[in-house]
Amino acid sequence: GAGVSQSPRYKVAKRGQDVALRCDPISGHVSLFWYQQALGQGPEFLTYFQNEAQLDKSGLPSDRFFAERPEGSVSTLKIQRTQQEDSAVYLCASSLASGNSPLHFGNGTRLTVT
Amino acid sequence: EDQVTQSPEALRLQEGESSSLNCSYTVSGLRGLFWYRQDPGKGPEFLFTLYSAGEEKEKERLKATLTKKESFLHITAPKPEDSATYLCAVQAATGFQKLVFGTGTRLLVSP
């Protein structure tokens, strides 16, 4: 079956531009997560959705970062007024609703801010 | 604060040379400890979940074990295709399903 799909795979933005990153989770997966992964580091949690409800956004680094999942399926991570420190790979993951179901990750969007 | 430390940062092995990767953790009540494999340019790929001390799981040349403070990923007779970064993550018993990851161990297996 289809896995988690993310687009675009690569995004180059000039400092100050806004970007939008898309995630299509596995069909039927209730939980959706966004992670940020810097080069040579492990993924760091950004935000979590259960269906359309954003239940945890404690990892969003600033108010320039905004995520939504309006119909409980596709999610978009938006970064306003991008800065160089936003350059990273942004990973989306989805899982079934049960507490210790594994997260299934997409291949990420590599964002480079110039 | 939940924390995961992995060692070594990088490991180079010859094909067939067995070894172990370490994951030390502190968590406010463990719901699960997860091992993932990540290839360059790809997202992490799920390998194992361990739930309680003493538990072991195996998959091909990999075996994961868990104690109250750490987990080991044992690699027996590795092959070059086992080269990847191996990530460890913990999930706390309280709150949501969020995983806290370590920085990973980069494994290179030479033929």
Side-chain angles (χ1 to χ4, degrees):
Chain A
V4 177
S5 178
Q6 293 188 245
S7 61
R9 284 284 284 128
Y10 304 94
K11 177 70 179 177
V12 178
K14 291 186 177 179
R15 190 173 57 184
Q17 286 185 331
D18 298 347
V19 298
L21 313 180
R22 177 187 169 103
C23 173
D24 282 89
I26 294 172
S27 178
H29 278 195
V30 169
S31 299
L32 185 145
F33 300 80
W34 284 98
Y35 279 81
Q36 181 189 60
Q37 187 172 27
L39 191 63
Q41 301 297 310
E44 295 214 358
F45 171 79
L46 293 176
T47 187
Y48 163 64
F49 289 86
Q50 185 171 307
N51 295 307
E52 68 279 4
Q54 189 175 21
L55 299 184
D56 188 346
K57 53 181 181 180
S58 61
L60 296 176
S62 78
D63 58 8
R64 296 185 295 104
F65 287 70
F66 172 75
E68 61 184 6
R69 194 186 184 198
E71 297 178 358
S73 179
V74 171
S75 178
T76 304
L77 176 67
K78 297 179 179 179
I79 308 173
Q80 297 177 325
R81 304 181 304 282
T82 52
Q83 304 294 314
Q84 282 193 314
E85 60 263 29
D86 300 334
S87 296
V89 175
Y90 290 85
L91 295 166
C92 176
S94 69
S95 75
L96 294 170
S98 61
N100 46 28
S101 298
L103 273 59
H104 298 272
F105 284 84
N107 287 327
T109 294
R110 180 177 295 278
L111 173 64
T112 302
V113 181
T114 61
Chain B
E1 183 181 338
D2 302 335
Q3 199 163 7
V4 175
T5 302
Q6 292 189 247
S7 62
E9 288 187 8
L11 181 61
R12 174 170 279 188
L13 299 173
Q14 290 294 120
E15 185 172 3
E17 179 187 1
S18 301
S19 188
S20 295
L21 313 182
N22 177 264
C23 170
S24 299
Y25 65 91
T26 55
V27 64
S28 52
L30 181 69
R31 174 178 285 163
L33 184 141
F34 297 75
W35 282 98
Y36 282 82
R37 168 191 172 128
Q38 187 172 27
D39 293 295
K42 303 285 188 180
E45 176 188 347
F46 172 71
L47 293 173
F48 304 109
T49 309
L50 301 167
Y51 299 105
S52 58
E55 188 175 2
E56 299 183 352
K57 287 194 175 172
E58 288 189 64
K59 179 180 180 179
E60 296 181 355
R61 296 175 292 282
L62 300 177
K63 182 169 82 171
T65 62
L66 181 64
T67 72
K68 287 186 178 179
K69 293 184 179 180
E70 57 191 349
S71 177
F72 292 93
L73 185 65
H74 307 277
I75 303 176
T76 302
K79 297 183 177 182
E81 53 261 42
D82 295 322
S83 298
T85 295
Y86 290 86
L87 295 164
C88 173
V90 295
Q91 185 181 66
T94 57
F96 307 116
Q97 293 172 269
K98 176 176 75 174
L99 295 183
V100 175
F101 282 87
T103 55
T105 293
R106 294 190 313 279
L107 175 65
L108 178 63
V109 182
S110 303

